[in-house]
């Protein structure tokens, strides 16, 4: 049972930088960490040649769990927050409102996807029923 | 009365050893069917709400946390119970999540009167309802592929 977030575009990352700069303290540190993680993933993304780790059918389409390319996995590894850090970030972000909250949880969602060793399954990657999976472009 | 008490104290442990402490499958199925019938009280179909924060103390306790997502059960939310398990019919995904947050509990309420019939914890593992990724992002899609209710038999 998953959540499929909207894709994070380069435009999102660019506009979010200004939002992040408006925060301070631990919240800013958390957002900067996650923002850097997403940027790292996008910068080092390579299509994976491996078959899906799993596939699951929903009413909205089929979700294929595409494993991260080995080089992509290596590139993001040191930027991934620990489980404990994820919990701390969640507590910080729970106090946010509006656009800032949405950005924060979008980044946190993306981080959890990467921690699972797979390409984040965004809404646009859901495959209509009875169609073959794609390679999982970022 | 004293002699009767002594006899009961001897007989009950013997009944336990015979395995008669368990609820019969017949009774378990009947209980589940009664619960799911409450979920379906009237139309429109019941809703499953995903919220942040700790699960409320009881189903009578007011809603708490942020409402992130609302999914719609089928008109008949569950099939007939079998072997102490009721399986939910198709649950319609929420394709436009209302609010961002980490989902930590769910509530199933009747469609007509919004009475909470079932509630439980949500996490990525070890919870009543386990999500592959339980972080809701506004505008995203929340989907549930399967949902079962199990009657404890001990």
């Amino acid at each position: 049972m998953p959540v499929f977030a909207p894709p994070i575009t380069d435009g999102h990352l660019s506009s979010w930088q200004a939002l992040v700069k408006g925060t301070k303290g631990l919240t800013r540190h958390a957002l900067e960490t996650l923002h850097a993680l997403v940027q790292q993933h996008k910068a080092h993304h390579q299509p994976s040649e491996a078959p899906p780790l799993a596939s699951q059918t929903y009413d909205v389409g089929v979700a294929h769990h595409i494993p991260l390319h080995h080089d992509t996995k290596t590139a993001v590894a040191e930027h991934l927050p620990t489980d404990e850090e994820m919990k701390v970030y969640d507590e910080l972000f729970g106090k946010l409102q509006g656009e800032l909250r949405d950005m924060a949880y979008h980044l946190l969602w993306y981080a959890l996807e990467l921690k699972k060793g797979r390409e984040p399954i965004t809404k646009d990657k859901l495959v209509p029923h009875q169609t073959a999976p794609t390679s999982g472009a970022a | 009365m004293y002699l009767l008490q002594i006899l009961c104290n001897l007989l009950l442990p013997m009944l336990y050893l015979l395995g008669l402490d368990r609820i019969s499958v017949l009774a378990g199925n009947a209980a589940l069917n009664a619960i799911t019938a409450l979920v379906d009280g009237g139309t429109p179909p019941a809703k499953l709400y995903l919220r942040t924060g700790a699960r409320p103390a009881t189903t009578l306790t007011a809603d708490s946390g942020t409402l992130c997502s609302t999914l719609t059960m089928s008109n008949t939310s569950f099939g007939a119970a079998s072997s102490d398990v009721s399986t939910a019919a198709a649950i319609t995904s929420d394709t436009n999540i209302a609010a961002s947050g980490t989902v930590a509990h769910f509530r199933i309420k009747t469609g007509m009167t919004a009475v909470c019939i079932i509630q439980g914890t949500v996490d990525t593992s070890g919870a009543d309802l386990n999500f592959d990724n339980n972080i809701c992002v506004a505008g995203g899609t929340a989907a549930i592929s399967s949902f079962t209710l199990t009657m404890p038999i001990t």
Side-chain angles (χ1 to χ4, degrees):
Chain A
M1 286 154 260
V3 169
F4 307 110
I8 295 181
T9 64
D10 292 340
H12 282 123
L13 289 175
S14 178
S15 63
W16 286 352
Q17 275 184 323
L19 274 180
V20 171
K21 284 180 181 169
T23 59
K24 52 188 177 183
L26 286 175
T27 300
R28 177 164 177 168
H29 170 75
L31 291 170
E32 285 177 340
T33 299
L34 295 175
H35 191 277
L37 168 65
V38 178
Q39 282 188 311
Q40 188 74 0
H41 174 248
K42 283 181 169 290
H44 292 87
H45 174 266
Q46 293 187 53
S48 175
E49 297 298 324
L53 297 167
S55 296
Q56 183 71 52
T57 299
Y58 303 91
D59 56 341
V60 290
V62 182
H64 297 291
H65 299 208
I66 308 294
L68 292 173
H69 188 282
H70 174 76
D71 293 344
T72 306
K73 200 170 183 178
T74 303
V76 301
E78 65 179 71
H79 296 269
L80 287 173
T82 63
D83 291 346
E84 291 70 28
E85 286 170 332
M86 294 282 286
K87 284 181 186 170
V88 171
Y89 295 169
D90 180 37
E91 286 176 17
L92 291 169
F93 298 166
K95 298 169 188 167
L96 302 175
Q97 299 292 330
E99 192 180 5
L100 196 56
R101 181 187 179 101
D102 290 342
M103 172 193 72
Y105 277 107
H106 207 156
L107 291 170
L108 197 65
W109 175 90
Y110 206 96
L112 185 53
E113 291 286 296
L114 291 175
K115 278 172 69 68
K116 293 179 180 294
R118 70 181 182 216
E119 291 294 333
I121 309 174
T122 48
K123 284 177 78 164
D124 58 315
K125 291 186 184 163
L126 289 170
V127 179
H129 297 155
Q130 298 180 352
T131 304
T134 60
S135 63
Chain B
M1 280 299 291
Y2 184 69
L3 181 60
L4 183 60
Q5 186 176 358
I6 292 173
L7 285 172
C8 285
N9 288 342
L10 289 172
L11 281 170
L12 285 173
M14 289 172 62
L15 289 173
Y16 181 85
L17 289 171
L18 289 170
L20 295 177
D21 57 308
R22 294 159 65 100
I23 301 171
S24 70
V25 172
L26 190 66
N29 288 342
L32 282 171
N33 289 334
I35 292 170
T36 57
L38 287 174
V39 171
D40 292 334
T43 55
K47 303 279 189 186
L48 189 152
Y49 300 91
L50 301 175
R51 309 184 75 97
T52 65
R55 183 193 64 192
T58 74
T59 56
L60 296 174
T61 310
D63 289 338
S64 61
T66 299
L67 174 60
C68 291
S69 176
T70 304
L71 295 88
T72 305
M73 314 288 289
S74 292
N75 281 325
T76 301
S77 55
F78 289 83
S82 176
S83 302
D84 292 312
V85 175
S86 286
T87 302
I91 300 174
T92 303
S93 298
D94 178 1
T95 57
N96 190 18
I97 290 171
S100 301
T102 299
V103 175
H105 74 274
F106 74 91
R107 294 189 126 180
I108 295 178
K109 296 184 178 181
T110 59
M112 174 76 84
T113 56
V115 171
C116 180
I117 303 298
I118 300 167
Q119 64 174 16
T121 56
V122 174
D123 207 326
T124 52
S125 67
D128 297 320
L129 179 61
N130 294 305
F131 269 73
D132 185 61
N133 189 327
N134 64 330
I135 299 171
C136 274
V137 179
T141 293
I144 292 178
S145 59
S146 65
F147 187 99
T148 57
L149 291 176
T150 303
M151 173 59 64
I153 54 173
T154 57

